[in-house]
Amino acid sequence: MTLTFLGIESSCDDTAAAVVRGDGTILSSVVEGQTALHAAFGGVVPEIAARAHAERLDGCVMQALDQAGMALRDLDGIAVTAGPGLIGGVLSGVMLAKGLAAATGLPMVGVNHLAGHALTPRLTDGLAFPYLMLLISGGHCQFLIVRGAEDFVRLGGSIDDAPGEAFDKTAKLLGLPQPGGPEVSRAAEAGDPKRFALPRPLLDRPGCDMSFSGLKTALLRERDKLVAAQGGLYRQDRADLCAAFQLAVADVLAEKTRRALVSYLEEAPSAPALAVAGGVAANTLIRARLEDVAAQVGATFVAPPLRLCTDNAAMIAFAGIERFRNGGRDGMDLTARPRWPLDQNATPLVGAGRKGAKA
Ligand code: KG4
Ligand code: ZN
């Protein structure tokens, strides 16, 4: 029987609900962002996020059911993000899911938000286990071997900023608008990536861990030198700085991905695949470099459409179905967890990230 689940997501700054079938059909996917609410503060304010989630979740769920042409009784279960993330937001979602489960008698499944991202290539492309996943967004940065719906091996990740966060901070340093990723990459098109020699952090060390905060500091130093020498930045300076920054991030991601692929290929997957998720996967240069690295070792490259790469509830519904199929169920004792690493055996990453502790 094909299962149909409602998914609920509220772990960061997107309030989302979706209705998804186990065969990968997305019947509806509603995402209400909060960018405008946090814009004045230069980052996500947890209290504001939690309040907005609490106010908007009901409406998102109703809209998702409406668009799917379904009522609660047509569902087979409810999946909800139970962490990791900003605790107030996660709690809002978990409380709503509990209320709905209690009222309808439907089974409830708590989902790890990162598992939602990591399983998306199965939702979109039916990818078989095991595949290598690179999560690169404003809040996440890690390599995972996805062996099963609840079986993940983390090969490494950023020890400080996520790459999207570094793009956003770079944009801020150069007076470009937010979100910074698309702005920096647009400016980089007219730039010379060789004019400034920015570092390639942690490339000299073995393994797949990454660091992006030093890169931003190096860029700040170059900016300040220019400002001191000429009183400001010309458009070309900005373009060259953006191009140098983007190339440095792409170089680091490409080399670390090459290493992660080597570890992953040791598992001798029958159909090797590299999948990416997260907003930074939208970057044309980074994407091309990752595609290249995958092709060099004969791995298929999978990049789900952007609306499913960024935070959404369809991935939560689908991950919930995968857990449910494995016998996963939660009761009224389901707790919201601010931290919840996918790979319990991996050493914790140091950085918490702008959007809260993620893994
Ligand atoms: O997946 P996403 O929506 O996650 C978070 O909410 O964290 O990703 C957003 C991040 C932002 O930091 C944004 O600047 C970055 O992805 N981003 C990009 C590009 N488009 C979005 N970074 C680099 N190049 C892009 N084209
Ligand atoms: Zn996310």
Side-chain angles (χ1 to χ4, degrees):
M1 186 187 79
T2 310
L3 297 165
T4 306
F5 265 54
L6 169 71
I8 298 171
E9 157 63 36
S10 55
S11 67
C12 189
D13 58 349
D14 291 300
T15 314
V19 179
V20 172
R21 281 215 195 100
D23 63 4
T25 313
I26 298 171
L27 297 172
S28 63
S29 178
V30 177
V31 181
E32 262 192 59
Q34 302 180 356
T35 312
L37 291 181
H38 304 285
F41 305 98
V44 177
V45 184
E47 269 309 312
I48 295 177
R51 209 165 305 144
H53 286 304
E55 280 166 11
R56 297 172 174 189
L57 270 168
D58 289 9
C60 279
V61 167
M62 282 195 277
Q63 228 179 304
L65 287 169
D66 250 23
Q67 286 179 17
M70 287 197 156
L72 283 168
R73 65 173 173 277
D74 302 319
L75 300 170
D76 299 303
I78 298 165
V80 62
T81 301
L86 299 173
I87 193 67
V90 180
L91 260 173
S92 307
V94 168
M95 295 309 288
L96 174 64
K98 283 184 184 177
L100 290 174
T104 57
L106 286 169
M108 174 179 64
V109 183
V111 168
N112 183 310
H113 175 87
L114 298 166
H117 281 303
L119 295 172
T120 299
R122 289 174 59 74
L123 166 66
T124 56
D125 293 77
L127 215 55
F129 299 125
Y131 53 88
L132 179 67
M133 177 85 211
L134 170 59
L135 274 181
I136 36 172
S137 70
H140 321 293
C141 181
Q142 52 186 303
F143 290 106
L144 295 162
I145 299 179
V146 186
R147 289 182 176 161
E150 293 174 81
D151 186 359
F152 305 92
V153 179
R154 203 189 65 215
L155 298 174
S158 173
I159 59 166
D160 42 53
D161 294 354
E165 191 173 1
F167 267 97
D168 294 343
K169 288 178 178 169
T170 292
K172 212 173 197 176
L173 291 176
L174 299 177
L176 296 168
Q178 299 291 316
E183 298 291 335
V184 170
S185 78
R186 198 169 309 125
E189 282 169 24
D192 168 13
K194 298 269 153 43
R195 178 170 158 208
F196 301 99
L198 297 182
R200 305 294 189 259
L202 295 193
L203 272 201
D204 53 340
R205 284 204 230 148
C208 300
D209 280 346
M210 292 163 278
S211 160
F212 295 104
S213 77
L215 200 48
K216 172 200 67 204
T217 316
L219 181 122
L220 174 65
R221 227 172 291 128
E222 295 294 348
R223 182 202 71 175
D224 288 349
K225 266 194 256 167
L226 287 173
V227 173
Q230 53 190 44
L233 291 182
Y234 292 107
R235 179 190 286 264
Q236 192 59 47
D237 299 330
R238 215 173 263 126
D240 294 343
L241 284 167
C242 285
F245 170 80
Q246 181 175 251
L247 183 64
V249 174
D251 280 351
V252 170
L253 286 173
E255 170 56 20
K256 295 286 178 170
T257 302
R258 194 191 60 72
R259 294 182 199 175
L261 276 166
V262 171
S263 302
Y264 157 69
L265 289 171
E266 283 169 7
E267 304 211 344
S270 54
L274 167 69
V276 288
V280 180
N283 185 284
T284 321
L285 175 70
I286 292 172
R287 213 179 164 111
R289 293 288 299 277
L290 297 176
E291 248 183 299
D292 240 29
V293 177
Q296 277 166 24
V297 296
T300 314
F301 180 77
V302 176
L306 198 59
R307 73 198 154 79
L308 294 172
C309 269
T310 56
D311 285 352
N312 67 88
M315 69 179 189
I316 301 304
F318 185 77
I321 291 174
E322 295 238 62
R323 242 205 96 199
F324 186 75
R325 282 195 193 124
N326 288 347
R329 307 276 186 287
D330 285 293
M332 289 300 146
D333 56 351
L334 173 66
T335 49
R337 303 168 64 172
R339 294 183 81 85
W340 185 2
L342 276 180
D343 179 354
Q344 309 283 344
N345 300 318
T347 43
L349 293 169
V350 183
R354 175 193 59 187
K355 293 187 172 179
K358 279 292 189 186

